[in-house]
Amino acid sequence: MKFKISASVEAIKPYEAGKPLKELEREYNITKAVKLASNENPLGFSPRVNEAVNAALSCMNRYPEPVPHGLRQLIADRFCVGVDTIVLGNGSDDIIALLAHGFLNPGDEAVMPLPSFLMYEISVKTAKGVPVMVPLKDYTTNLDEIVKSVGPRTKMVFVTNPFNPTGSTITRNQFVGFSKKIPRDVIIVVDEAYIEFVRDKTVFNSMDDPLKDPRIVTLRTFSKAYGLAGFRVGYGIMDPGVAEVLNRIRQPFNVNTMAQVAAEAAIQDEAFLNKSVQTINEGIDYLSSALTKMGLAPLSTQANFLMVDLKTDATKIFNELLGQGVIVRSLKSYGFDTFLRVNTGTQEENQNFIGALKQVLGKNKDRE
Ligand SMILES: *Cc1c(COP(=O)(O)O)cnc(C)c1O
């Protein structure tokens, strides 16, 4: 039986997730593979999460709290904002979809960088909206072109700061200039999935002055710096009027009990967060310098990953690295045919990656 698919959905390319460790270990029959492909936290998560999750097990026969008061309050307190400005999601992916479904009519436009985090495009198309893609300029968000691409049908714009996959950023001054040129009735989604890793003090952080501009919707996640990717918790901070719309259409139990208690424990362990950020940033410095010593030129980054030009088909190198038990990300599907993206692991994992890359690139050179 073949049903006719919705025309907007037909145009969607499926999201390509990083290759899971277990899959690689099965395929290559190895045991200690290294995954540096999905920007996860190599240190795991706070030990307090273990305790909280174990304690919550006995309640798993019950439905979760439909509005997770505890977690919302903790987030609200962290940023000194009202609880009615917080919307929780099954990852921030969920919030992106809610925004698209809540605010786009068929044919309405959402402007975003090209390439971008694929969930923006998928969500906009699923909501029957039209993504308008603005190519990067020198690997950074082209804010001027985004402004020029805003038209009468534009309902929202997406920016990502720091940017995935290049690691580039938007400064405070750049953002202020940009937001002045965006019409008053356009939502500005600022995805700050990697903001915890930023070291450059000039970078825009929407929570320095929360909710001053009612158009800004900030997206944050527990998946990266907090190490809770598998639990699936993200959130948005936004004008209460916008939050009310998203809460109206979200699934009532979109954040499950385990995810709620894990995030509550994680956000209260600031020491673990700080240690993670410090270790990860040291890892980035190690990777940058090791790659530079190899004669490569990694892009400068403010995130927990970096992008590097191998000047040769990146997918081929990606596949050969798999053979060495190392999973990174080939950026071919992002239009960067010769680039890899790699995130920091533990020091041992980082060294394994550098060793494997040397071997693979050396072999390729011999063959030339
Ligand atoms: C990882 C990531 C997210 C977060 O995804 P979750 O659904 O919260 O796991 C959001 N935006 C970008 C750009 C990301 O890279």
Side-chain angles (χ1 to χ4, degrees):
M1 189 74 155
K2 204 153 180 221
F3 296 100
K4 198 153 169 46
I5 180 173
S6 140
S8 53
V9 171
E10 192 151 36
I12 294 174
K13 299 185 288 247
Y15 181 78
E16 240 181 86
K19 193 178 184 67
L21 271 177
K22 290 258 171 348
E23 190 179 300
L24 178 74
E25 293 179 346
R26 219 181 312 118
E27 284 174 10
Y28 287 76
N29 199 20
I30 48 180
T31 49
K32 277 189 94 184
V34 170
K35 184 182 175 200
L36 304 173
S38 299
N39 306 338
E40 296 150 341
N41 186 337
L43 303 182
F45 45 70
S46 159
R48 293 197 203 174
V49 171
N50 286 303
E51 286 165 40
V53 163
N54 284 328
L57 255 182
S58 61
C59 313
M60 289 302 281
N61 59 318
R62 305 286 176 198
Y63 278 101
E65 260 194 89
V67 182
H69 288 289
L71 180 55
R72 265 175 114 204
Q73 190 67 56
L74 286 166
I75 295 168
D77 291 349
R78 157 71 48 102
F79 299 114
C80 300
V81 296
V83 282
D84 58 349
T85 68
I86 312 286
V87 179
L88 294 167
N90 182 35
S92 45
D93 290 356
D94 193 17
I95 313 285
I96 295 165
L98 293 171
L99 284 164
H101 285 277
F103 292 95
L104 299 178
N105 280 307
D108 282 346
E109 291 170 359
V111 184
M112 62 189 74
L114 177 73
S116 261
F117 187 53
L118 210 57
M119 290 315 298
Y120 307 156
E121 182 186 342
I122 291 177
S123 293
V124 168
K125 284 182 177 165
T126 315
K128 310 221 180 313
V130 178
V132 175
M133 319 272 221
V134 177
L136 299 180
K137 186 180 169 197
D138 302 329
Y139 307 105
T140 63
T141 309
N142 192 338
L143 295 173
D144 291 337
E145 278 307 312
I146 289 182
V147 168
K148 284 188 203 151
S149 304
V150 171
R153 295 225 60 176
T154 304
K155 286 286 168 59
M156 71 184 65
V157 301
F158 286 92
V159 293
T160 316
N161 190 39
F163 192 76
N164 180 5
T166 66
S168 69
T169 52
I170 299 168
T171 66
R172 207 171 297 119
N173 287 342
Q174 285 170 335
F175 187 86
V176 169
F178 163 74
S179 65
K180 277 190 190 138
K181 293 181 213 138
I182 299 291
R184 287 178 52 179
D185 56 351
V186 172
I187 292 175
I188 306 173
V189 183
V190 184
D191 185 343
E192 297 182 338
Y194 301 98
I195 200 80
E196 290 88 353
F197 302 110
V198 170
R199 288 182 269 184
D200 177 350
K201 297 277 186 287
T202 67
V203 171
F204 176 65
N205 182 330
S206 65
M207 285 299 111
D208 285 345
D209 212 347
L211 301 164
K212 201 181 101 192
D213 183 339
R215 298 170 302 171
I216 295 180
V217 172
T218 301
L219 301 182
R220 297 277 182 114
T221 181
F222 284 95
S223 299
K224 308 286 159 58
Y226 290 96
L228 300 183
F231 284 97
R232 314 298 305 125
V233 202
Y235 56 97
I237 305 163
M238 63 202 82
D239 181 82
V242 177
E244 190 274 323
V245 174
L246 303 200
N247 276 320
R248 209 187 307 170
I249 60 172
R250 73 180 173 87
Q251 291 188 23
F253 306 109
N254 63 337
V255 182
N256 71 71
T257 305
M258 284 295 171
Q260 288 183 28
V261 300
E264 283 177 24
I267 199 173
Q268 294 180 85
D269 192 347
E270 215 155 323
F272 181 83
L273 176 69
N274 292 339
K275 190 178 103 193
S276 294
V277 168
Q278 193 189 335
T279 308
I280 286 167
N281 282 340
E282 284 166 9
I284 281 289
D285 293 343
Y286 165 78
L287 286 176
S288 304
S289 100
L291 291 166
T292 306
K293 279 186 202 142
M294 289 168 66
L296 299 168
L299 299 190
S300 115
T301 181
Q302 290 289 316
N304 61 344
F305 54 83
L306 55 76
M307 204 169 127
V308 60
D309 190 356
L310 303 176
K311 315 261 186 209
T312 178
D313 179 13
T315 301
K316 184 160 171 278
I317 304 297
F318 162 81
N319 281 316
E320 292 184 22
L321 284 171
L322 286 182
Q324 305 274 331
V326 178
I327 313 174
V328 294
R329 193 67 83 99
S330 156
L331 293 177
K332 202 164 196 164
S333 63
Y334 284 79
F336 298 118
D337 290 4
T338 60
F339 283 82
L340 289 182
R341 190 193 70 194
V342 54
N343 66 261
T344 43
T346 61
Q347 183 59 16
E348 188 188 351
E349 290 172 330
N350 292 340
Q351 285 166 346
N352 282 349
F353 159 68
I354 293 292
L357 184 64
K358 278 183 184 158
Q359 201 166 343
V360 166
L361 289 178
K363 237 187 258 155
N364 276 273
K365 217 174 225 124
D366 293 346
R367 266 183 242 136
E368 271 166 17

